[in-house]
Amino acid sequence: MKGTYAIVLVAVVVLVRLALRRRRRRGPSGASTTHVTTSESAREGTHNVVALVCEREIRQRVRGRMFRAATVVILLGVGAAIVIPSLRHSHTPTERVGVVGTLGADSRARVAATAASLGVKLHVTSLATRAAATAALDAGTIDVAILNGDSLVVKNPLPPTSTSSATQFVRGVAVALGVARAQSAAGLSSRQIATLARATPLAITSVHAGKSGRAADPTSIVGVILIFIMLSQYLGWILVGVMEEKSSRIVEVLLSAVRPIQVVTGKVLGIGLVAFAQAGIILVWALILARIVGSNLIHGTAPWALASILVWLVLGYSFYCWIYAAAGSMVERQDQAQTLAFPLTLPLIFGYVISLTTASSGTAAGWFKVFAYIPFTAPFAMPTLVGLGEATWWQFSAAVAIDVVCTIALARGAAVVYRRAILRTGSRVKIRELRSHSH
Amino acid sequence: MTDVIEVNNLTRRFGRLVAIDDISFTVHEGEIFGLLGENGAGKTTTLEILEGFQKPDRGSALVLGHNPYTAHRQWRDRIGLVLQESDFDPVHTVTETVSLFAGFFSHPRAVDETLALVGLTAKAKERVGRLSGGQKRRVDVALGIIGRPSLLFLDEPTTGFDPIARADFWTVIEGLRDEGTSIVLTTHYMEEAERLCDRLAIMAKGQIVAEGTSSTLISEMGATTLRFELPRGLGLDALRAITGIDFVLRDNLATALLGAELQSVLRRLMTWAESTEVHLHRLEVLRPSLTDVFLGATGNDR
Amino acid sequence: MAAAGYPISAIAFYSGGLTAYGLMLGTFTSVMVAVVGAREAGWLKRFRASPMPPGAYLAGQIVFNVIVSIALVVVMMATATLVYGLRPRADAYAAVLAYTLLGVFCFTAIALAITRVMTTDEMASSAGPFVTIALSFTSGVFLPPDLLPHWLVTASNYLPLEPLAQSLQHALSLRVGSVFQWHPFIVLGAWGVAAFVAARWTFTWQPLRK
């Protein structure tokens, strides 16, 4: 299995190199003369410029107050999400039952069994009257009262959706005592009742041997959610960043020395690096905390499922960043960018929703598999398929290849849009000046 | 003559910093009043109180008979503002921007006429985002005068203008004054203040250190400069013995700042030069300027 | 999927939730960014200096956002019904419109109240989406609430996004009973009114960065 993923990796590297070489030979759209000559020093120059723009972007981001504040908030949130459940887990909840009147030994055993099956402790007290029970419920000293073994009283109505152990316990007791009452009403002997209590469901076998019916796949669910949150946040940075740079005219200064494609590339690279650095910090923090409080975050997670989530996070970012950069270059004001943000997020949301639904259900429909090859939805759909074990290595590589090719095409398109949009805002002299530079 | 602005013992603090320290002045109807001072002297804070953006800690300001901080919209209808920093919604054209503000006032000037006044007719259909800095400043001025204000505040209006644009602007401002508009102006350009302002006040460290017409300020506070090349063999001490005043060497020239004693000093110097047949090279008597007054008043003359 | 005690179809869940998300992203963030941007650029100060009634600016913001939001809701509803086969009751559309207006009111007010602590439009444009997406994960927009810890769901019930999303989902999936629920009007109304009161006290027309 490891071997197959090594092959995928090599394939990706080869593809990227091929694409780069082709680009070098032809020169990118709106080629500059320095590029056509392809001297080693000219290429060095290009890389330098991209690196400079990228570095500038990183500095600008990391120094922002908002970035630091958001990172701290996320770290605190992740910390709370990991630590709080473990604290709650450490002391088992106790269900306090008040008994009014008589409750048979059999019924008591059933109440105890219900508590045991839910993993909660049981504390039973006897109460003299119904009024005393009501008072105890109101005061919160008991959770549920059993009246003469034939009715249950709680303080507030049980929320229909609640899956808390307290609610489940009350529901469980209600069912258990109801069954007990029916059995004794039917006049069964104690032996018959004991037999009934041991009833087990029948085994189900299918005619066609299939994959073992899988439940929801937690790794894919978490992975899909992670990819969605990170993409929608970091892509927003690109949208706003490109727009802002354009409106502040910094770009005019930049463009007098640098070609548009270099500016955009540097920009998305810079934001991408900051984004993944932030994500890395959060991930490491989560793993460390989980180790400390002893919860098993990635226990039982297949390493390739994790790897495919990371691969598709990077691929998803690389693909969508060009769309957001092009969109950002076309808007002129911050609030326009915000109005545009939601429609732009819709393809992401679509990919997220179908993948989350699939990961939760545990089986992938045929139509869903198609979306694993479309670059818009692949960053969500492909990791889901991998998590469900429904993607072979060559399917995975095919999706990666399609994504990489589309990303390169998209990058070229975005550079053209960016160049035109930026030049449109400049003054007339600037346009001529830049044209003479680039042709 | 009635007063459009009456400021009495105005004080404004920001924490421990005293931005305005107990100032009083008046602005008469139909005049151009200049507020001069270095950056941080308190000019903009003063203007912001007069414009109703800030509340003074002590003292009072009456603008067109009202307290600016609590004044109603009808009061704003008679005020025009050209703020120091300006930025516009870049997506609208010049005409659209000016028309929008024309709609806020009860008796606006025609948009075309306003654009012609500030010299933006050729750029009327251009988006504001594509104008140069000086052109944007003209939009600012257009917004300031669109409502036919009786009182116009101009906060450093010609910063970033080229000399020709500045001269054009002066003509526009003088035209507005001739129509009867009262104007309060802050500026860093002394020739602008000298040319435009009927009266002016110089601020330093939150206080008004000089006030009056530019000619009275110059004649009261400005010193005439007398300078010449120190003749060979003559020391500053000897020069003092001849003229009775101290000279200093500045740019290799014996220099003295003179007030009323100019005539007697000159006579003694000339008599000495005639009698000893010394030729005073590069002899100059320089008329005092507002710049000298400004530097003297703000303590920057050393 | 059982989101609120009755079965809800996936399409009703996501179309209701995403409409609420879109409303918050569109209104909350864009009002905040527009106001902070206009303030820091000095446009607000300039408006304030003119005889324009202050309410006109506010009204302009609200009207603009109502138009954009209704357009968004129409597109969302059209997609949900035409492409995904959502079949809500006819009166559900009235409820959706009412909740949309309620949402625009509430999120505009909250955005205005928050502008005081946003010193740059850059800050506003990163804080807005951040808060929106964080809230939407606890509010039954991107995740069915039964996957979340109970205390988080309870807390979200008192934040503005959850009641809006839940009531839209409710209206779009209902077969019997009233499409209108009272609690979103109480929660969103309370947030909106409180935020407007706060905004009246804290709102400033002057640039903060100087």
Side-chain angles (χ1 to χ4, degrees), chain B residues 38-53:
Chain B
E38 297 171 87
N39 289 327
K43 293 173 308 208
T44 299
T45 309
T46 308
L47 276 197
E48 295 220 320
I49 290 175
L50 298 180
E51 292 160 352
F53 290 121

Side-chain angles (χ1 to χ4, degrees), chain C residues 189-200:
Chain C
W191 273 94
V193 169
F196 256 122
V197 171
R200 262 202 82 84

Side-chain angles (χ1 to χ4, degrees), chain B residues 208-222:
Chain B
I208 292 180
V209 290
E211 193 188 342
T213 66
S214 62
S215 53
T216 47
L217 281 177
I218 289 167
S219 60
E220 278 171 13
M221 305 184 63

